[in-house]
Amino acid sequence: MPRTTPFQSRLEPLNQTGIWKHWSGYLVAPQYQYSLNAEYYAIRNSVALLDTSPLFKYRFTGADARALLERAMARDIGDCPVGRAQYTCWCDARGYVLQDGVVMQVADGEYWLTAAEPALHYFRVLAREMGCAHVEVEDISSAFGILALQGPHAHSVLLQLTDAATPLKYFGVTSATVAGCEVTVARTGYTGDLGYELWINAADALTVWDALMMAGKGYNITPMGTTALKMARVEAGLLLMGADFHTSRFAWVDAQRETPNELGWGWMFRKLAQDGRDFVGRAAIATELEQGTSRWTTVGLAVDWHDYERAFVEAGILPPRHELYSESTMSIYRRGAKEWDYAGYASSFLSSSLLRKPIALAKLPLDLSVPGSEVDLEISVIRKPKNVLARVERMPFFNPPRKTALMSGSAE
Amino acid sequence: MSTPERYDAIVIGGGHNGLVNAGYLGKAGLKTLLLERRHLVGGAAITEELVPGYKFTTFSYAISLMRPDIVQDLELVKHGMMVLPLINTFQPGLNGEYVFLGADADANYHEIARHSIEDAEASRDLDHLISRLCRALKPWMDRIPPNALSADPAEVAALAELRDYMASLDPEVRGLMEKFVNRSAAEILDEYFENDLVKALYASSGIIGSRVGPRSKESGLVWLFHKMGDYDGVPGQWGFHKGGNGGFTQVLARAVEGFGGTIQTNAGVSRVLYEDGRATGVELQDGTTLSADLVVSALDPRQTFTRLVDPDDLPQDLVQHITEYKFQGTAAKVNFALSAVPTFPGLEGREDLYMGFTNLGPSIDYLEEAFADCEAGRFSRRPFLDCCVQSTLDPDMSPPGKHIMSCFVMYAPYHLAESDWDTERENLGDTVQATLEEFFPGFGDLVLHREIVTPLDIENLVGLSEGNIFAGELFESQLFLNRPAPGWNQYRTPIAGYYQCGSGTHPGGCVTGGPGMLAARQILGDRAG
Ligand SMILES: Cc1cc2nc3c(=O)[nH]c(=O)nc-3n(C[C@H](O)[C@H](O)[C@H](O)COP(=O)(O)OP(=O)(O)OC[C@H]3O[C@@H](n4cnc5c(N)ncnc54)[C@H](O)[C@@H]3O)c2cc1C
């Protein structure tokens, strides 16, 4: 029997499709309405509300909490003061990625972390190995529900309930009272748009859900399923574990593993030469960066609209565009004299309705990673493989100023 | 008075076609000036905040036929293009029945099956066949049509290509094409459907903006025309641009400026200047003259050929055609600011009903009766209304919790037999409101503000002659090879350097941008020699 999140009694009647799927053992709706695009556009046009409670949540407390995270995390936890959140990842000793997640310091020395896969045991073992006696790592996954409020009107909605989150810097964190309930609000999200994520005590879940839905009524607040979220994150250039990379923990061979630099997170190590941090995987990562041994670069690919169109028109059919999202591997080839000259692969593909072109997240060798580089992407046209022109494009594909803008105004 | 500034190209009229044309010319490196008579660009595609917080789509209100090449070529996404899905269609009846269609084909099947199980299946067949036909015709939407009167071998070859292409179509597809050209919407619908509510739902596309009833022969082609577009690759579907169609023309304006073009508003053109059969510039209504090698009229054919230039300077067969070219506008708009969405008895509290088109016109007879009024020289006493509560999709159209509703009204003939539009304005508004009241009891209590747009307003404000929303009827005699006149369907005019790019040229009316794009192609081709 799948578990349900603390919002389930509200979600149930909203799911017009009757379709549910499982996420980390919880019941979630891939989409609520028949129109997936309606949910997808809510993120860009109005405001969407998403239950992300199935994420694993961990709390780090005690005098050694910071030391443990300094050791565990590949990104410098020193850059995450109280009231800030940080996108980070952690690696194994060989410098391969175990997971990514968002960590925030909610109070002095108290950190909360989200993870896609269980990691409690991992962090506790690490603490023991380090000899950190004064740290407690707890699984608080079911103590909280998390709601993501995302879209251009996210602030208009939140502001009606609290002014504690105004202005809240991008990746800022604050506590707030919403409908009489203590919540933690982070200016974060997985959509690349203006948005907030609210950590809500499980007992308060329905009260806060109702308050948000009520406050959002005039702004066409739209419950969003996980598929629309995944579509938006491709436009935002955000990777998904299980699609664009896999945890090193259960890989069989290194070909299934990726390093942070191969995933485009080299920026986490900009100060590596100076900072002397001793985190898990450091030596391997330092060597990789020094010797340039990364096998891949993660890039954004934009498919040439005309070429995509032509591939289908020539076959006598309409180019598929509407609500087209896929996480299956697509091969990429070098364009040149040699046919089918394998270069890399795309791991997420979206026919972006907003951007009016198909886009993809891809792994390419370094020499093809410069924006503007042209490659062939293999698609399937009436069951036959066919190459279409695609170009490397700087990510995020969509990056509205409101994503990071300081929002102003006061509660009415 | 004369200014020293010299332009390579002057585009007259800042409707979406003028903007598209100026965008392409600017992109090609031409120093381009666009002149718009009004204080804002957009023409029939504008959004106006008539009451603080309420954005009215004064004229056009939905988008589908916009040519996809333009979106790419003019980089419109970068400038803010965003078309939201119109996810539902609501066709209420007057006796509590209704058809409510959404995004799921199977759910739609069951919904239609409530009325007729055979119609439910037939609608899939018909939809698919129409999509196949549209796909077949699309390449011809996006190219300069052949000139049927030319002896030029290239034109003769193009005509032969067209004939061969049509002959090569799958017989089923070609058969449907012939039906659309030769039969009324009602006749075609009778072949496919038995339920009147279902028929009426389809028939509305066949009468929009045209002086035809569902039983008029020309309604077949009008229907087909409205299915030639797509939403997000889904054929025949319509969308709603963020901020209304005015939001879209603002995107176009930014693109024009992005490509180096200059837009001047409050700059009505009184005439095109030409010497020895060659355009030299324009004269503005304030007497200013501006010179340019190229002048493009984005206005309708009546203005392009008989107002901006002296028709005596043109071949008389062309002038004859333009004089006979049918405008005969029959549409009006009544737009409302509402305190809440309307209530349909039995479906109270359902905002989703209005997230798309709401068609008030529940039977073929209802539509025919409305048309009979038009033929008698008066506006319909019970009009057909195509409504859209756009604020249910785009929250920025109205203050939170309040709504904006666009109602396209058929029929409202430009020529009234026994009255005039200044007299009838409020009567039209009242009639529309009374019709809404019939379907949605209590509607009147919701009305905060009402905007009435008569065919005369359309003519006066936008410059569309006789208020025809498409810059001329979408009849076979006025489309493709014949738009706006045989021999003059390739964007040129008899005056060298003077071109036309309004909706009175191929592919025609609606927010398509096709005329603007294809005219630019012709202009740039001619310049290249
Ligand atoms: C009420 C209404 C509803 C409609 N609904 C839809 C719809 O929902 N969807 C759709 O696709 N289509 C719709 N249409 C049709 C569509 O809007 C038009 O076909 C299209 O917008 C016309 O564009 P255009 O650029 O060819 O010309 P116009 O939009 O007519 O632009 C002409 C421009 O020229 C300017 N002008 C006129 N005279 C002069 C002068 N002498 N000097 C300088 N400037 C001048 C005008 O002010 C105007 O801005 C509708 C039209 C109307 C009127």
Side-chain angles (χ1 to χ4, degrees):
Chain A
M1 275 286 280
R3 300 171 62 115
T4 53
T5 77
F7 303 101
Q8 183 63 19
S9 60
R10 292 294 183 274
L11 309 182
E12 182 97 47
L14 289 168
N15 189 347
Q16 298 162 6
T17 69
I19 297 171
W20 299 89
K21 65 170 202 172
H22 299 167
W23 174 11
S24 297
Y26 286 84
L27 217 48
V28 294
Q31 70 189 79
Y32 288 88
Q33 311 183 24
Y34 283 137
S35 170
L36 177 56
N37 250 29
E39 294 177 24
Y40 157 87
Y41 270 111
I43 305 168
R44 306 296 185 212
N45 157 58
S46 55
V47 54
L49 189 60
L50 169 82
D51 175 13
T52 68
S53 308
L55 284 169
F56 293 90
K57 310 170 202 73
Y58 299 114
R59 175 161 57 203
F60 298 77
T61 48
D64 290 336
R66 183 182 160 150
L68 171 59
L69 290 169
E70 212 164 48
R71 169 87 183 129
M73 297 303 177
R75 188 174 174 194
D76 189 354
I77 195 73
D79 292 342
C80 186
V82 178
R84 295 288 300 165
Q86 188 188 62
Y87 177 64
T88 188
C89 72
W90 55 104
C91 301
D92 63 17
R94 297 174 58 227
Y96 289 114
V97 172
L98 286 170
Q99 284 204 53
D100 66 342
V102 171
V103 64
M104 49 196 193
Q105 190 175 169
V106 295
D108 194 18
E110 176 173 349
Y111 296 86
W112 295 358
L113 171 75
T114 55
E117 292 284 326
L120 181 76
H121 178 68
Y122 171 82
F123 286 117
R124 284 184 177 167
V125 168
L126 189 63
R128 279 202 291 279
E129 283 172 2
M130 287 170 64
C132 282
H134 303 288
V135 59
E136 197 175 350
V137 189
E138 295 160 273
D139 184 327
I140 52 170
S141 300
S142 41
F144 290 96
I146 303 182
L147 291 179
L149 182 71
Q150 304 279 308
H153 281 294
H155 180 256
S156 334
V157 172
L158 196 57
L159 186 58
Q160 289 174 62
L161 301 170
T162 174
D163 49 18
T166 302
L168 184 63
K169 279 195 191 143
Y170 190 49
F171 273 87
V173 180
T174 185
S175 56
T177 307
V178 167
C181 308
E182 287 302 311
V183 300
T184 298
V185 182
R187 177 84 181 267
T188 52
Y190 196 45
T191 61
D193 218 296
L194 170 64
Y196 303 85
E197 287 173 310
L198 281 73
W199 289 54
I200 303 151
N201 287 315
D204 297 330
L206 301 182
T207 311
V208 175
W209 172 274
D210 291 343
L212 287 167
M213 286 298 283
M214 186 59 81
K217 212 173 173 332
Y219 298 96
N220 302 356
I221 195 167
T222 306
M224 160 180 54
T226 50
T227 309
L229 176 77
K230 288 176 175 188
M231 291 161 77
R233 63 95 197 172
V234 178
E235 291 168 349
L238 299 172
L239 308 188
L240 175 65
M241 191 159 106
D244 304 304
F245 69 99
H246 298 82
T247 177
S248 168
R249 199 170 183 177
F250 304 113
W252 296 86
V253 293
D254 290 350
Q256 294 175 299
R257 301 186 162 98
E258 285 92 3
T259 68
N261 197 51
E262 289 170 347
L263 295 180
W265 304 335
W267 53 268
M268 291 185 185
F269 311 109
R270 255 180 224 136
K271 290 189 274 180
L272 199 64
Q274 300 95 283
D275 66 17
R277 294 188 289 127
D278 180 24
F279 61 91
V280 181
R282 174 176 176 125
I285 289 170
T287 308
E288 178 195 352
L289 293 175
E290 261 165 46
Q291 301 183 353
T293 51
S294 304
R295 299 157 301 173
W296 301 113
T297 319
T298 298
V299 298
L301 268 193
V303 178
D304 183 84
W305 183 87
H306 288 102
D307 212 38
Y308 185 78
E309 183 92 358
R310 191 182 45 76
F312 292 94
V313 167
E314 275 174 1
I317 60 174
L318 292 176
R321 297 192 184 285
H322 189 57
E323 299 180 347
L324 190 61
Y325 167 77
S326 142
E327 290 169 8
S328 48
T329 303
M330 301 161 86
S331 295
I332 299 172
Y333 306 93
R334 285 177 193 277
R335 288 166 70 86
K338 202 171 140 207
E339 263 201 317
W340 307 108
D341 185 4
Y342 185 82
Y345 64 94
S347 45
S348 294
F349 176 91
L350 171 73
S351 169
S352 170
S353 175
L354 178 76
L355 302 174
R356 300 223 166 206
K357 61 188 176 193
I359 55 175
L361 304 180
K363 302 280 189 311
L364 284 174
L366 193 64
D367 69 301
L368 284 174
S369 68
V370 192
S373 301
E374 298 192 339
V375 292
D376 275 332
L377 176 72
E378 183 185 317
I379 59 170
S380 173
V381 180
I382 320 186
R383 296 179 210 94
K384 283 205 193 108
K386 185 137 195 150
N387 281 337
V388 290
L389 170 63
R391 295 183 187 84
V392 173
E393 193 172 305
R394 221 177 280 284
M395 293 198 285
F397 295 100
F398 180 67
N399 197 21
R402 62 178 179 256
K403 176 176 95 176
T404 53
L406 267 191
M407 307 306 291
S408 56
S410 57
E412 286 140 41
Chain B
M1 198 179 85
S2 185
T3 52
E5 280 255 52
R6 219 197 131 70
Y7 291 90
D8 295 328
I10 289 177
V11 179
I12 306 170
H16 83 282
N17 277 312
L19 290 164
V20 166
N21 189 258
Y24 275 99
L25 297 183
K27 185 179 177 184
L30 271 61
K31 190 173 175 201
T32 305
L33 173 68
L34 180 140
L35 298 169
E36 166 56 45
R37 188 185 55 176
R38 297 195 69 196
H39 64 282
L40 81 174
V41 294
I46 58 170
T47 304
E48 297 178 286
E49 192 168 340
L50 299 181
V51 184
Y54 294 88
K55 316 268 174 62
F56 287 75
T57 49
T58 314
F59 308 106
S60 68
Y61 50 104
I63 192 164
S64 168
L65 288 112
M66 190 63 206
R67 309 319 301 147
D69 281 311
I70 300 171
V71 179
Q72 304 291 326
D73 294 344
L74 299 186
E75 301 168 26
L76 299 186
V77 172
K78 189 175 96 186
H79 294 286
M81 181 170 188
M82 190 199 290
V83 186
L84 306 172
L86 288 167
I87 53 178
N88 298 327
T89 303
F90 185 43
Q91 170 89 1
L94 280 167
N95 45 3
E97 62 185 27
Y98 62 87
V99 179
F100 178 59
L101 302 179
D104 186 81
D106 296 323
N108 291 346
Y109 167 84
H110 290 294
E111 174 65 3
I112 298 178
R114 289 197 302 120
H115 303 276
S116 158
I117 193 162
E118 291 207 22
D119 286 4
E121 218 174 301
S123 78
R124 289 190 175 183
D125 286 336
L126 182 59
D127 290 350
H128 182 60
L129 190 55
I130 293 176
S131 297
R132 288 174 64 197
L133 172 57
C134 290
R135 199 199 79 81
L137 295 179
K138 249 176 209 162
W140 296 91
M141 288 256 317
D142 292 323
R143 63 183 268 185
I144 298 169
N147 179 343
L149 302 186
S150 172
D152 183 333
E155 296 302 327
V156 175
L159 267 182
E161 186 194 344
L162 171 66
R163 263 194 312 274
D164 292 348
Y165 183 84
M166 291 300 169
S168 75
L169 292 180
D170 179 289
E172 213 185 340
V173 172
R174 202 176 56 237
L176 184 69
M177 173 75 201
E178 279 155 15
K179 281 181 203 167
F180 274 126
V181 174
N182 297 315
R183 298 204 201 158
S184 72
E187 264 178 284
I188 300 171
L189 289 165
D190 283 342
E191 216 181 285
Y192 279 87
F193 302 120
E194 56 185 19
N195 182 272
D196 213 32
L197 197 59
V198 174
K199 285 184 201 175
L201 173 60
Y202 276 82
S204 57
S205 295
I207 60 169
I208 288 280
S210 311
R211 192 180 180 115
V212 299
R215 296 199 178 101
S216 314
K217 174 187 165 269
E218 296 84 353
S219 59
L221 206 49
V222 174
W223 173 10
L224 175 61
F225 193 88
H226 282 100
K227 291 286 156 195
M228 288 294 298
D230 74 277
Y231 173 76
D232 200 25
V234 184
Q237 295 292 308
W238 287 72
F240 174 70
H241 196 279
K242 177 88 182 156
N245 276 351
F248 177 61
T249 45
Q250 289 302 311
V251 167
L252 284 176
R254 289 194 286 275
V256 168
E257 287 170 347
F259 287 114
T262 306
I263 294 174
Q264 200 175 321
T265 50
N266 300 309
V269 172
S270 56
R271 62 193 181 105
V272 171
L273 305 174
Y274 47 96
E275 273 166 37
D276 306 326
R278 161 157 282 289
T280 58
V282 301
E283 184 183 288
L284 299 186
Q285 278 155 3
D286 68 6
T288 311
T289 63
L290 295 163
S291 41
D293 304 333
L294 263 172
V295 177
V296 190
S297 166
L299 311 187
D300 75 18
R302 185 178 286 175
Q303 303 209 54
T304 301
F305 292 108
T306 71
R307 302 273 159 78
L308 292 175
V309 300
D310 184 347
D312 289 344
D313 296 336
L314 302 177
Q316 283 317 291
D317 57 337
L318 168 61
V319 176
Q320 183 74 22
H321 265 287
I322 300 302
T323 312
E324 287 164 10
Y325 181 91
K326 286 194 172 72
F327 290 97
Q328 54 184 31
T330 49
K333 274 294 287 287
V334 180
N335 301 313
F336 296 95
L338 300 176
S339 59
V341 295
T343 297
F344 185 73
L347 297 175
E348 288 81 3
R350 288 274 303 272
E351 257 186 35
D352 59 328
L353 298 180
Y354 309 102
M355 293 179 167
F357 294 129
T358 296
N359 270 302
L360 304 191
S363 69
I364 298 288
D365 284 342
Y366 179 109
L367 301 175
E368 272 300 327
E369 267 168 48
F371 181 54
D373 283 330
C374 173
E375 291 295 81
R378 56 178 178 255
F379 63 80
S380 306
R381 285 161 294 184
R382 226 184 182 190
F384 160 75
L385 302 179
D386 183 29
C387 314
C388 189
V389 186
Q390 296 144 333
S391 46
T392 58
L393 301 158
D394 177 357
D396 297 310
M397 295 297 286
S398 65
K402 304 284 192 287
H403 289 283
I404 191 89
M405 181 182 193
S406 154
C407 299
F408 184 83
V409 185
M410 300 284 297
Y411 299 80
Y414 175 76
H415 292 291
L416 291 172
E418 282 162 13
S419 186
D420 61 75
W421 276 113
D422 288 331
T423 313
E424 297 301 325
R425 169 185 304 281
E426 292 303 322
N427 294 338
L428 174 71
D430 292 344
T431 302
V432 167
Q433 207 166 310
T435 301
L436 284 159
E437 191 74 42
E438 264 192 272
F439 287 89
F440 307 108
F443 180 85
D445 301 336
L446 309 175
V447 175
L448 304 172
H449 185 84
R450 176 169 100 177
E451 178 195 26
I452 301 164
V453 181
T454 70
L456 187 64
D457 294 331
I458 296 173
E459 180 177 69
N460 289 338
L461 291 170
V462 189
L464 288 165
S465 299
E466 297 178 29
N468 183 294
I469 74 164
F470 302 125
E473 293 279 31
L474 301 176
F475 298 167
E476 192 195 4
S477 57
Q478 303 191 166
L479 284 175
F480 199 45
L481 300 177
N482 306 320
R483 196 163 184 92
W488 300 104
N489 62 331
Q490 297 184 315
Y491 312 96
R492 301 184 185 109
T493 74
I495 297 168
Y498 180 42
Y499 289 84
Q500 39 170 344
C501 80
S503 293
T505 61
H506 175 75
C510 281
V511 181
T512 79
M517 168 181 76
L518 295 173
R521 202 176 287 170
Q522 187 69 290
I523 292 165
L524 296 170
D526 286 353
R527 271 176 73 92

